[in-house]
Amino acid sequence: MTTLTTTEALAAFCADAARAPYVTVDTEFLRERTYYSKLCLVQLAYPGNGEDDAVLVDPLAQGIDLGPLYELFRDPGVVKVFHAARQDLEIFAIEGNTIPQPLFDTQVAAMVCGFGEQVGYETLARKVARAQIDKSSRFTDWSRRPLSDAQKTYALADVTHLRVIYEFLAAELEKTGRTAWVEEEMDVLRDPATYRVEPREAYKRLKTRNPNARYLAIARELAAFREEYAQSNDVPRNRVYKDDALLEIAALKPNDAGELGKARLLLREARKGPIADGILAAVSRGLAVEKDDLPEVPRQKSRDQINGALADLLRVLLKAKTEQAGVASKLVATTSDLDDIAAGARDGDWARGWRGEVFGDDALRLCEGRIALACKGQNVRIVPL
């Protein structure tokens, strides 16, 4: 097992990899105590059976520069293959200002090829590569050096078996004419905006049903302060204050330290110092927002708006169409999507591109009364009307 600890060794490997049609990539990182992921290891492999075609890269080695790796990531002639790529790509987007392209995610491809919802790497390794992954090193501290042989073996397996998985899935997609389906899904992963968290937009991740726009304005300011503080101090946002505490403060609207102390869910460290000051300032800003600048209150779909019978029919249709196509249903449409359609929505991701071909077009026909569903044994048939 080769571990690269110098820029020169990394450059030499990347030069060899640049002559291959693809390179498989994985990372090991820590994020429990920081806002940004701490990159601890990069695993790379390209097609071959030798000892030099799969390596570990130690980004913590003194003096190493990952520039050659980012150059390889930008090479348009080499497909960069990941499994469940989003977290890995976020690291490279932030640390190296680079998103590997062209890009292939085997988890997405497996869902398109009928392996089920959010299929794990171990499952694909077992079913496709006929390999068993030793999980004992999964939750080890990847920042500690030296790495054990067990850690190295586990880490390297994440890219060696991935070669077999990629070649199998790529062939399946080509055979079924679905390569373009996966390409559509890669658009989100290739977009730099996917990995940027704008503090002013952070409040949209909060789960609240409070319909008051002023309350949302305060929550927006509290979420923005928390995001900015977490980013600048590189601490997890929940270490600043958790969502439930944020929503409690938005409801309390404290204007001084005494009133802030009434918040039951706020961490002790946040009741004084710069966090407490930031909270009070955020509440003040939220209270001062002009009426025209108040955030729009999301419309909650009531059960009365949703045609329950139609929602049930859409669920049957989705299951039938995705089983027929051999693709994971949640990749095509979510339960929320089905409720939206049953409440009158006529556009969404489910209606566009390959999703429209698999499900969306027939979903609209069902809503318009142009098709019906019939059952024969275990099979659901679409009947034109």
Side-chain angles (χ1 to χ4, degrees), residues 273-334:
I275 296 179
D277 293 342
I279 289 173
L280 294 173
V283 171
S284 178
R285 287 194 300 273
L287 291 170
V289 171
E290 296 291 338
K291 187 175 180 180
D292 291 344
D293 293 328
L294 290 173
E296 184 177 350
V297 178
R299 291 185 178 180
Q300 300 288 338
K301 294 188 295 290
S302 71
R303 299 308 302 176
D304 293 338
Q305 292 175 293
I306 299 172
N307 183 327
L310 177 57
D312 289 340
L313 286 173
L314 287 166
R315 285 171 176 76
V316 174
L317 177 65
L318 177 64
K319 189 173 189 297
K321 295 289 290 184
T322 53
E323 285 183 353
Q324 179 184 346
V327 60
S329 61
K330 285 186 180 178
L331 190 61
V332 177
T334 64

Side-chain angles (χ1 to χ4, degrees), residues 57-175:
V57 181
D58 187 355
L60 303 182
Q62 187 173 3
I64 194 169
D65 181 350
L66 297 185
L69 177 63
Y70 295 127
E71 185 177 344
L72 176 63
F73 283 169
R74 291 188 288 267
D75 188 329
V78 183
V79 178
K80 272 62 74 172
V81 181
F82 294 78
H83 181 82
R86 183 160 180 155
Q87 285 187 302
D88 300 318
L89 298 178
E90 181 181 359
I91 293 172
F92 297 133
I94 292 171
E95 291 208 358
N97 195 29
T98 301
I99 297 174
Q101 297 193 48
L103 180 64
F104 189 98
D105 189 324
T106 56
Q107 185 177 70
V108 174
M111 292 172 75
V112 169
C113 291
F115 280 86
E117 315 287 352
Q118 304 293 327
V119 60
Y121 178 70
E122 290 84 359
T123 299
L124 289 179
R126 185 178 68 254
K127 290 185 175 181
V128 177
R130 301 290 186 262
Q132 293 291 332
I133 305 295
D134 180 0
K135 303 177 184 179
S136 60
S137 296
R138 173 180 288 181
F139 298 112
T140 57
D141 184 349
W142 292 99
S143 67
R144 297 187 65 180
R145 295 295 184 269
L147 295 174
S148 68
D149 287 344
Q151 285 178 301
K152 293 179 181 179
T153 298
Y154 169 84
L156 209 56
D158 282 347
V159 288
T160 52
H161 302 312
L162 193 56
R163 295 179 294 195
V164 179
I165 294 167
Y166 165 66
E167 291 179 5
F168 172 83
L169 292 174
E172 284 294 302
L173 293 170
E174 186 68 27
K175 183 169 64 178

Side-chain angles (χ1 to χ4, degrees), residues 14-84:
C14 290
D16 290 338
R19 292 190 284 270
Y22 70 85
V23 60
T24 54
V25 189
D26 191 38
T27 69
E28 305 298 341
F29 58 88
L30 297 178
R31 198 174 189 172
E32 289 79 8
R33 300 176 182 177
T34 58
Y35 181 90
Y36 298 105
S37 297
K38 180 181 180 180
L39 182 61
C40 299
L41 197 67
V42 181
Q43 303 99 282
L44 303 168
Y46 57 82
N49 295 307
E51 293 185 359
D52 297 331
D53 50 40
V55 298
L56 306 175
V57 181
D58 187 355
L60 303 182
Q62 187 173 3
I64 194 169
D65 181 350
L66 297 185
L69 177 63
Y70 295 127
E71 185 177 344
L72 176 63
F73 283 169
R74 291 188 288 267
D75 188 329
V78 183
V79 178
K80 272 62 74 172
V81 181
F82 294 78
H83 181 82

